Amino acid sequence: MSASTLEETVASHETPGNQFYTPFTVTAELEAEADERISHYPASKRSATLPLLHIIQHKFGYISAPAIEWVAAKLEIEPIKVLEVVTFYPGFRQSAPGKFHIRVCRTLSCAMGGSYELMERLCELTGIDRSASDSHHHPISVSPCGKFSVEFAECLASCGSAPVCMVNDDFHEGIPAGKAEELLAKYAPQV
Ligand code: FES
């Protein structure tokens, strides 16, 4: 797979969230962290694919085409093998989220508890337009200011306290649409 084909295939596109993330850059720190993770898999370097992608998403916010190429070179595998992993796991993002990324559970208990109404209210308050999103290539929708993004998620394992959502790594239980404003105010009081 050539570099240009990879660029075209990865669903990375500029979003207002890009302002909060550094473009993928290979630093000595990243090299050292990656080498340390790879050392855990002496029999098969490619087993470090998931750990390396997690490191990159944590540092840069999403997985870009240059990041995929770098991981493939580190693991001595074809970029398509890395791309397969990125596109298989919904947890890996291919474009920049907002500074605060909100994942709203849409599985049965949460759907019945009002998660779709919660999503609608979050979008209304943040000015997010979800019309161009789809569950596979573009699951994330970002606010015009770049501070917030939303995405539907499958069961977040707290069905008894539906509807639930996550804001970055924070878990929030029992958040009906009526509490959306209060939730956003915790992260960006001016919204
Ligand atoms: S259905 Fe939402 S946490 Fe399980």
Side-chain angles (χ1 to χ4, degrees):
M1 177 179 250
S2 71
S4 61
T5 310
L6 184 63
E7 285 282 355
E8 284 160 21
T9 310
V10 176
S12 291
H13 56 280
E14 283 283 313
T15 80
N18 278 94
Q19 63 186 298
F20 297 108
Y21 300 95
T22 312
F24 177 74
T25 320
V26 180
T27 61
E29 184 197 351
L30 178 63
E31 288 276 10
E33 212 172 326
D35 289 341
E36 195 280 328
R37 293 299 173 94
I38 293 169
S39 72
H40 292 240
Y41 306 95
S44 167
K45 275 177 145 189
R46 66 183 302 161
S47 300
T49 306
L50 282 174
L52 261 53
L53 290 173
H54 279 295
I55 291 171
I56 290 169
Q57 182 158 290
H58 184 71
K59 284 183 186 297
F60 303 101
Y62 64 104
I63 314 289
S64 62
I68 289 174
E69 281 185 274
W70 181 76
V71 170
K74 285 295 282 184
L75 303 180
E76 297 170 358
I77 56 179
E78 284 296 313
I80 185 71
K81 297 295 178 194
V82 182
L83 179 61
E84 280 169 1
V85 176
V86 173
T87 53
F88 180 79
Y89 290 102
F92 289 126
R93 298 186 286 260
Q94 297 176 64
S95 56
K99 182 176 182 184
F100 303 109
H101 183 54
I102 307 171
R103 300 173 68 221
V104 177
C105 174
R106 67 170 167 196
T107 308
L108 189 60
S109 298
C110 289
M112 291 180 70
S115 62
Y116 282 83
E117 291 83 353
L118 171 62
M119 175 63 92
E120 205 173 304
R121 184 66 181 137
L122 289 169
C123 291
E124 202 173 272
L125 290 165
T126 56
I128 292 177
D129 174 10
R130 291 191 68 249
S131 61
S133 71
D134 63 62
S135 58
H136 192 63
H137 289 297
H138 299 288
I140 291 175
S141 303
V142 186
S143 65
C145 66
K147 282 190 187 148
F148 291 101
S149 54
V150 292
E151 175 184 17
F152 270 126
E154 301 311 326
C155 185
L156 293 173
S158 182
C159 318
S161 49
V164 304
C165 65
M166 290 187 75
V167 182
N168 293 349
D169 292 331
D170 303 338
F171 201 70
H172 296 276
E173 299 172 288
I175 308 289
K179 284 194 176 174
E181 201 162 352
E182 193 185 320
L183 176 72
L184 295 175
K186 286 184 184 154
Y187 296 91
Q190 66 275 30
V191 171

